[in-house]
Amino acid sequence: MTSNDEYVLQLLLEKGYVDDGQVEAAANSMREGTETTLDVLVSSGTVAEESILATVAEQFGIDFVNIEPAELDPAVTTVIPAEIAKKYGVVPVLADEDSVTVALSDPMGYDAVDSLRYVLHGKDVQAVLAPSAQIKAAMEKLYPTGDELVEARTDDYGDDGEASGDDAPVIKLVNLILSNAIKMKCSDIHLEPMEKEFRVRYRIDGALRKMDSPPKRLQGAIISRVKIMSKMKISEKRIPQDGRIQINVGGRDLDLRVSSVPTNHGESIVMRILDKSNLSLGLPQLGFLSDDQAKFEKLIRLPDGVVLVTGPTGSGKTTTLYACLGQINKPDKKLITVEDPVEYQMSGINQVQVNKDVGLDFAAALRSILRQAPNIVMIGEIRDEETADIAMEAALTGHLVFSTLHTNDAPSAVTRLTDMGVKPFLVASALRAAMAQRLVRAICANCKQEYKPSDRDLKMLGSFAKTVPDHMYEGAGCSVCGQTGYKGRKGIFEIFEVDDTIQRLIFDHAPSTVLRERAREMGMRTLREDGMLKVASGMTSLKQVLQATMGDAD
């Protein structure tokens, strides 16, 4: 067989046709280079070939049949000549002017159907699965001219349709979904079972875009393939699972973080693409204006203290932290991170993966790594009082600590920490700054064009209307940006620095509104103010900033 062993074996295990012991025994007894584990299972009588074919046929939503060679009409050979039948390992069983039904025995060779449609100039080709012995007998009846002619002429048709395990239809389809997503620079792939369709959507620059849907009948096979690639249990469909896929596309190493959740119509799969090229982003590429960049560079080079990045999920906090680490990662500094999970592997940095199953949570990991005498510590997220307390104490004992919090604005980070139970004097003493951020879509440079702001635009700009020139920018839409007018994303930022006055306010339990007022007096730009400056510069659009800062009181 030329099938993908691992995929078919998983299906057989799930159906109960074989168990792990039988698979292991077959793998140990096969003769190298001459047979596969499946071949051994069939030849030893452990599982019948018919069972394998019926299982795969059910998974793909096609028919499993038994062929009676004597009942085949030789006229079908006018539709598929001997050389093509031999090349694709199929025999025609029914044919008319517009369509042909072919039988094949390779359970994962269903891609031959697509190749045949091309070779047969668009004729409707349907496939059924049948036992190999029956395929062989049918081949001998329909094409009795001998193998020599067949073998001599197969090369005339090229290699485009060559059927192999790696090119099985579902494997090819999943690979196509992944490669297209990477070409389109998408951050997430969503495979969503609906009642009547199997929806595929890509998140590109923060917005979901619907792609062509695969056939609903392939839903189970596609989901199983992704779960196998990400080392999940394909037989477990009742509970959520997490996994990881490592692939190389165009010479780039990519990690995909995979999540599976059961829904009414099947398992919903989300794959987050972790592109290591993001690690090379500098602060200017993140979207900082020059004054904020200088301020933030000063903060990340402090000898000690806590620097927090805040914002909702998907606001780019992790990318910002990794960009910081990349800036300060020098041979004379020891950097250690505690993450759940480790999203990007960075050279020169000691990265610790949280493992709650063995008791290694953020707090336990943080306690341990502090005994490793690091200069700089990055904590993926401060989630509880214990972790927050240790982070503050680490900062007070000479460590520079980076972490993230889920708050809407920067001054609220203080309130969030004290709500967790951290003593205000610890926060006041250890916190150096908190930076809130959001992501906005950047206007496509290829189709960027000027336009005169309307009265409504100027009204929404408020006090910033005076600083905006008599023209603004928008993307017209082109092939580069997929007709959206946007390409890539940039950050908008709000940097809250802790000075002596703010330290006293924190110590006195001042609310975040008072802290915010003081920070504004010091010159802190709000998220919306930073965004409006970027609208005026042509980096993004007014609509994007208003959407991203809807909760900004200013």
Side-chain angles (χ1 to χ4, degrees):
M1 293 182 182
T2 60
S3 61
N4 182 285
D5 269 14
E6 183 182 19
Y7 180 71
V8 178
L9 287 171
Q10 287 284 356
L11 293 178
L12 296 177
L13 286 165
E14 184 179 353
K15 287 286 185 180
Y17 284 118
V18 295
D19 57 38
D20 290 327
Q22 291 170 323
V23 172
E24 185 177 356
N28 291 336
S29 65
M30 69 182 184
R31 296 184 299 277
E32 187 176 353
T34 61
E35 58 189 353
T36 67
T37 305
L38 281 175
D39 292 332
V40 174
L41 288 171
V42 172
S43 62
S44 66
T46 304
V47 62
E49 182 189 15
E50 287 80 358
S51 298
I52 296 174
L53 296 175
T55 299
V56 177
E58 179 185 355
Q59 191 76 3
F60 287 162
I62 60 177
D63 292 329
F64 169 65
V65 301
N66 284 294
I67 299 173
E68 291 294 338
E71 297 177 2
L72 294 177
D73 182 358
V76 294
T77 59
T78 60
V79 179
I80 300 182
E83 56 269 26
I84 295 180
K86 179 72 175 181
K87 177 176 178 60
Y88 296 113
V90 302
V91 290
V93 291
L94 290 172
D96 57 32
E97 290 183 1
D98 302 315
S99 65
V100 59
T101 299
V102 299
L104 61 158
S105 61
D106 181 355
M108 298 293 283
Y110 191 55
D111 59 332
V113 175
D114 292 330
S115 301
L116 283 170
R117 288 193 183 108
Y118 175 77
V119 172
L120 300 177
H121 306 292
K123 188 182 285 289
D124 182 26
V125 180
Q126 301 296 323
V128 295
L129 289 178
S132 56
Q134 295 179 12
I135 295 287
K136 183 179 179 182
M139 187 76 74
E140 290 173 352
K141 172 178 169 54
L142 294 176
Y143 306 107
T145 54
D147 289 341
E148 293 78 7
L149 176 62
V150 171
E151 291 293 336
R153 295 184 58 188
T154 52
D155 287 342
D156 294 349
Y157 292 85
D159 294 328
D160 292 342
E162 187 83 3
S164 70
D166 290 337
D167 291 331
V170 172
I171 296 172
K172 286 178 68 177
L173 186 51
V174 170
N175 289 344
L176 185 63
I177 290 171
L178 294 177
S179 62
N180 283 346
I182 291 160
K183 286 177 187 174
M184 298 175 74
K185 297 187 182 301
C186 101
S187 59
D188 303 281
I189 304 168
H190 295 251
L191 307 179
E192 302 167 314
M194 302 285 109
E195 183 179 4
K196 295 182 180 178
E197 70 169 330
F198 184 46
R199 187 168 66 182
V200 175
R201 293 194 291 174
Y202 292 165
R203 189 179 296 280
I204 302 172
D205 297 336
L208 283 169
R209 191 184 304 177
K210 190 175 184 295
M211 301 291 114
D212 291 336
S213 298
K216 177 72 173 174
R217 61 184 172 79
L218 294 182
Q219 172 180 307
I222 292 170
I223 290 173
S224 293
R225 174 61 186 167
V226 172
K227 290 173 74 175
I228 288 170
M229 292 174 71
S230 52
K231 306 294 190 294
M232 295 182 191
K233 296 178 181 177
I234 67 168
S235 58
E236 181 54 81
K237 302 178 181 178
R238 300 163 298 172
I239 61 174
Q241 295 186 70
D242 293 309
R244 196 158 191 151
I245 300 172
Q246 293 183 317
I247 56 175
N248 184 286
V249 178
R252 293 162 57 202
D253 291 322
L254 299 171
D255 284 348
L256 279 68
R257 210 169 71 200
V258 186
S259 169
S260 168
V261 175
T263 67
N264 285 346
H265 304 293
E267 292 170 279
S268 173
I269 299 280
V270 175
M271 293 178 274
R272 169 162 286 189
I273 300 172
L274 306 174
D275 188 349
K276 293 181 181 178
S277 64
N278 288 337
L279 299 182
S280 61
L281 290 177
L283 297 182
Q285 286 76 43
L286 296 179
F288 281 102
L289 295 176
S290 57
D291 57 340
D292 272 354
Q293 181 179 330
K295 189 184 298 183
F296 195 60
E297 283 182 341
K298 181 190 73 175
L299 290 170
I300 66 176
R301 285 179 167 82
L302 291 172
D304 55 34
V306 175
V307 176
L308 298 174
V309 180
T310 78
T313 300
S315 58
K317 300 187 298 296
T318 302
T319 300
T320 297
L321 283 182
Y322 276 115
C324 292
L325 295 180
Q327 291 265 23
I328 58 181
N329 183 14
K330 307 296 181 189
D332 62 336
K333 302 285 186 185
K334 178 158 185 169
L335 280 67
I336 304 183
T337 72
V338 184
E339 303 169 69
D340 183 21
V342 173
E343 292 198 357
Y344 300 97
Q345 295 179 359
M346 297 184 72
S347 61
I349 295 179
N350 302 279
Q351 295 174 273
V352 178
Q353 168 81 52
V354 167
N355 187 347
K356 294 177 183 176
D357 293 339
V358 297
L360 187 65
D361 57 12
F362 275 108
L366 188 49
R367 271 195 220 94
S368 299
I369 67 172
L370 290 176
R371 292 193 284 271
Q372 296 273 313
N375 300 102
I376 299 159
V377 175
M378 191 270 271
I379 310 167
E381 182 184 347
I382 293 178
R383 299 179 180 176
D384 53 52
E385 179 186 354
E386 187 177 13
T387 305
D389 277 334
I390 298 169
M392 298 297 151
E393 290 166 7
L396 293 176
T397 54
H399 303 85
L400 180 59
V401 180
F402 294 104
S403 191
T404 69
L405 273 180
H406 288 280
T407 64
N408 287 331
D409 63 6
S412 296
V414 173
T415 309
R416 178 84 178 102
L417 290 170
T418 54
D419 285 348
M420 283 182 182
V422 183
K423 302 292 188 294
F425 78 87
L426 271 180
V427 178
S429 304
L431 185 64
R432 298 289 178 265
M435 183 180 75
Q437 72 174 68
R438 299 289 189 276
L439 291 176
V440 293
R441 302 172 79 183
I443 296 172
C444 174
N446 189 62
C447 60
K448 186 175 181 178
Q449 61 183 22
E450 294 181 2
Y451 77 97
K452 186 175 178 60
S454 65
D455 291 340
R456 183 170 178 271
D457 290 336
L458 295 173
K459 185 177 180 181
M460 287 190 290
L461 282 166
S463 61
F464 282 90
K466 299 174 185 177
T467 65
V468 173
D470 59 0
H471 59 267
M472 295 171 69
Y473 298 91
E474 63 183 358
C478 63
S479 58
V480 173
C481 61
Q483 307 304 323
T484 63
Y486 297 103
K487 186 71 174 175
R489 289 190 289 177
K490 297 289 185 181
I492 57 174
F493 306 97
E494 175 180 283
I495 302 177
F496 170 72
E497 289 187 276
V498 177
D499 66 351
D500 292 342
T501 304
I502 287 180
Q503 275 189 332
R504 288 194 294 273
L505 290 172
I506 296 172
F507 190 83
D508 293 337
H509 300 260
S512 60
T513 51
V514 174
L515 298 176
R516 188 176 184 83
E517 275 181 33
R518 170 57 188 160
R520 296 295 306 280
E521 291 171 5
M522 291 169 57
M524 181 187 83
R525 276 199 300 267
T526 66
L527 285 165
R528 178 163 290 185
E529 287 170 341
D530 191 51
M532 290 304 185
L533 290 176
K534 287 163 184 175
V535 170
S537 70
M539 181 186 292
T540 188
S541 69
L542 179 61
K543 178 181 177 183
Q544 284 292 305
V545 171
L546 293 178
Q547 285 178 345
T549 61
M550 211 164 279
D552 192 331
D554 296 295

